[in-house]
Amino acid sequence: DAKTTQPTSMDCAEGRAANLPCNHSTISGNEYVYWYRQIHSQGPQYIIHGLKNNETNEMASLIITEDRKSSTLILPHATLRDTAVYYCIGLTGGTSYGKLTFGQGTILTVHP
Amino acid sequence: DTGVSQNPRHKITKRGQNVTFRCDPISEHNRLYWYRQTLGQGPEFLTYFQNEAQLEKSRLLSDRFSAERPKGSFSTLEIQRTEQGDSAMYLCASSLGGTVTDTQYFGPGTRLTVL
């Protein structure tokens, strides 16, 4: 699975969009980009995943560049409860299982 | 609540004691994973079950660690002769399996403190 690179930390004002970047230049053709977040002292929470098309759900949007070497997670209207560590993970698709390899993630702080 | 549950949520033990944690996956999820997370680090994979079969174990899982999933439903993780280095959050995740993308859903974790 691809190694991912994320900024160590980011800040965002409450109510504004939070845009979290992730580089995955070695991603392979059948490898999905997954995003999880972890609020302090809780288990990781699944946010969204995608292969090559942009994806949107009730939590966030995922924008994947055409060459698939990077992606951006967008939280459209960040709230204080979105303060968390955000992990970008590459995971090969298919019916075989996939163990998630977490990096250091991005600490997102949403401030009033 | 139909999510992944873990018990206990917190465990404090003395070095050398044995501890056992339980994970109840989401109903009908046939894949179950254990991860460990130390302070300031992301979770690290420990082991994986497909139904009752343990199909992979990380090198992190020393001989003192054993995991079971006897009927393909709940799972237990036992640590024998605990050491201070075992202090961590132990996370369980489950997934449906058999699909092109297989999203893992995590439980709240069990925080172990070894004194």
Side-chain angles (χ1 to χ4, degrees), chain A:
Chain A
D1 296 325
K3 177 177 168 53
T4 61
T5 306
Q6 300 177 252
T8 303
S9 63
M10 294 183 66
D11 286 341
C12 178
E14 189 177 21
R16 305 297 294 269
N19 297 285
L20 291 91
C22 178
N23 285 322
H24 32 79
S25 58
T26 61
I27 198 167
S28 60
N30 65 345
E31 204 166 340
Y32 288 75
V33 179
Y34 273 77
W35 283 84
Y36 282 80
R37 73 180 182 184
Q38 189 171 25
I39 295 168
H40 182 62
S41 294
Q42 298 182 22
Q45 177 188 25
Y46 165 75
I47 301 174
I48 198 167
H49 72 280
L51 185 61
K52 41 188 176 179
N53 297 323
N54 298 337
E55 302 288 343
T56 295
N57 63 20
E58 65 278 4
M59 288 184 69
S61 294
L62 175 60
I63 309 298
I64 303 174
T65 58
E66 196 169 337
D67 62 8
R68 303 212 322 120
K69 292 186 177 182
S70 66
S71 60
T72 301
L73 178 75
I74 301 173
L75 307 179
H77 305 287
T79 71
L80 298 179
R81 287 178 294 181
D82 292 322
T83 293
V85 181
Y86 287 77
Y87 296 100
C88 168
I89 302 167
L91 187 64
T92 302
T95 55
S96 61
Y97 87 100
K99 59 187 177 188
L100 297 170
T101 302
F102 290 81
Q104 296 296 314
T106 295
I107 301 170
L108 174 69
T109 303
V110 181
H111 51 87

Side-chain angles (χ1 to χ4, degrees), chain A residues 32 34 36 38 41-44 46 49 87 93-100 102-104, chain B residues 31 33 35 37 40-43 45 48 56 89 91 99-104 106-108:
Chain A
Y32 288 75
Y34 273 77
Y36 282 80
Q38 189 171 25
S41 294
Q42 298 182 22
Y46 165 75
H49 72 280
Y87 296 100
T95 55
S96 61
Y97 87 100
K99 59 187 177 188
L100 297 170
F102 290 81
Q104 296 296 314
Chain B
R31 293 179 178 172
Y33 310 76
Y35 292 81
Q37 185 174 26
Q41 304 297 314
F45 170 81
Y48 153 72
E56 184 172 343
M89 173 81 89
L91 295 158
T99 58
V100 175
T101 59
D102 193 30
T103 300
Q104 295 177 37
F106 284 80

Side-chain angles (χ1 to χ4, degrees), chain B residues 61-108:
Chain B
L61 215 62
S62 75
D63 291 345
R64 297 182 298 104
F65 287 70
S66 62
E68 293 183 340
R69 195 182 181 198
K71 296 183 180 178
S73 57
F74 72 92
S75 175
T76 58
L77 178 68
E78 181 183 17
I79 309 175
Q80 296 182 325
R81 305 181 303 281
T82 52
E83 302 172 356
Q84 288 185 325
D86 297 331
S87 294
M89 173 81 89
Y90 290 85
L91 295 158
C92 175
S94 70
S95 67
L96 191 57
T99 58
V100 175
T101 59
D102 193 30
T103 300
Q104 295 177 37
Y105 297 92
F106 284 80

